[in-house]
Amino acid sequence: MSGKGGFAILLVTCGILLGCAMAVGIAKERIPPGMVYIPSGYFLMGSVQQLGLRVTEAGVDEFPQHKVSLKAYWIDQDEVTVEQYRRFIQATGHRPPPIWADPTYPKATPTHPVIDLSWFDAEAYCRWAGKRLPTEAEWEKAARGTEGRVWPWGEIFDPEKTNVLDSGKGWTVPAGSVEGDVSPYGVFDMAGNAMEWTATWYRPYSGSTLERVAFGEKYKVMKGGAWNSPALPFSRAANRHAVAPKWDHPNQGLRCAKDA
């Protein structure tokens, strides 16, 4: 078997999927559909401060790198798709993404990630789905694992492993279809396809002396790269992108999380 399904079966068979629900004894009926289990414990968040680093390699708001302990949780394996979001609109009457009425962009494709969402849109969808937005820390752990990978797949960027501006695809692709863009836990598209909202306000890390007028309850943190964003800095797992909650943009999507 090839493709995404074959990859998932291989991980389970080999026993290397850290987030595999069966490996931690979770009954099959308790596994939320389409979600991946992230076990409790510590992970490395942020970037290591070194001489000679450029801002594309590590932003000053990513220092200091620090250990964060999280409780176990679930996170969507894939970004929320157009089809899933359309069902939400039909059920609630929520406004459609503005891009759906913009003829300068391709027509919304059901299996592609939904984009052009504000934080309020993303939060409303997750609440309707019986979930919530992940925190910045939850998102980052799911993307890079416990050892602080730069990208979900490792330490070296490869444009063929994801969908960002450098990849040359020119538009979103079906969620979960880029097999190289998979995290240590088996979560897809965390480096590209669509940037993703988190629940976290943009603030400095504990131990940081950085001061910015943007810090506080003004902007939410977005994570990951998008089809139209350069790989550096956005596609790195540690990158922090501060965006006003009311702002929607054609590279902004989402995935949801849920307490375990």
Side-chain angles (χ1 to χ4, degrees):
M1 182 182 293
S2 62
K4 181 177 172 182
F7 176 81
I9 290 173
L10 177 62
L11 288 179
V12 174
T13 302
C14 297
I16 60 173
L17 179 55
L18 298 179
C20 176
M22 301 306 292
V24 293
I26 296 175
K28 185 176 181 180
E29 60 271 16
R30 288 186 54 208
I31 302 174
M35 302 193 85
V36 171
Y37 181 76
I38 311 296
S40 63
Y42 286 94
F43 83 103
L44 288 175
M45 185 172 185
S47 297
V48 177
Q49 191 166 3
Q50 305 174 53
L51 291 175
L53 280 179
R54 295 172 296 176
V55 68
T56 54
E57 296 171 311
V60 292
D61 58 353
E62 299 169 28
F63 308 142
Q65 188 175 76
H66 54 293
K67 292 178 70 174
V68 176
S69 179
L70 296 175
K71 295 180 180 179
Y73 59 99
W74 299 92
I75 195 165
D76 288 344
Q77 183 177 41
D78 295 314
E79 294 170 323
V80 173
T81 65
V82 168
E83 181 179 8
Q84 291 170 320
Y85 200 80
R86 197 182 300 275
R87 290 200 294 267
F88 159 64
I89 291 171
Q90 292 169 345
T92 65
H94 194 89
R95 67 154 196 164
I99 197 173
W100 289 7
D102 189 338
T104 61
Y105 289 93
K107 185 178 179 180
T109 306
T111 59
H112 287 221
V114 63
I115 53 175
D116 206 17
L117 303 181
S118 72
W119 182 89
F120 298 104
D121 296 330
E123 193 275 336
Y125 173 87
C126 289
R127 184 159 27 89
W128 170 81
K131 306 176 186 180
R132 58 176 175 78
L133 284 172
T135 65
E136 179 186 8
E138 287 173 335
W139 192 100
E140 192 166 323
K141 181 178 181 179
R144 70 193 310 196
T146 59
E147 72 273 26
R149 292 183 179 184
V150 177
W151 284 277
W153 56 83
E155 307 307 305
I156 300 174
F157 178 72
D158 182 346
E160 299 301 317
K161 287 185 179 292
T162 188
N163 179 24
V164 292
L165 185 64
D166 310 54
S167 308
K169 294 178 172 62
W171 186 237
T172 58
V173 296
S177 65
V178 184
E179 295 184 11
D181 195 348
V182 59
S183 82
Y185 296 105
V187 186
F188 285 81
D189 290 328
M190 300 198 86
N193 223 8
M195 289 184 179
E196 299 174 23
W197 287 105
T198 74
T200 302
W201 290 109
Y202 182 59
R203 292 187 172 102
Y205 289 155
S206 177
S208 171
T209 58
L210 183 65
E211 296 183 5
R212 281 185 170 173
V213 294
F215 287 148
E217 296 190 1
K218 302 176 183 178
Y219 302 99
K220 292 289 187 177
V221 176
M222 295 202 78
K223 302 288 279 185
W227 64 275
N228 60 351
S229 66
L232 293 175
F234 299 107
S235 67
R236 294 182 300 101
N239 183 69
R240 313 179 72 203
H241 190 46
V243 182
K246 67 180 181 180
W247 191 29
D248 49 58
H249 190 276
N251 62 15
Q252 296 173 185
L254 82 149
R255 79 177 73 227
C256 305
K258 189 179 182 73
D259 295 340

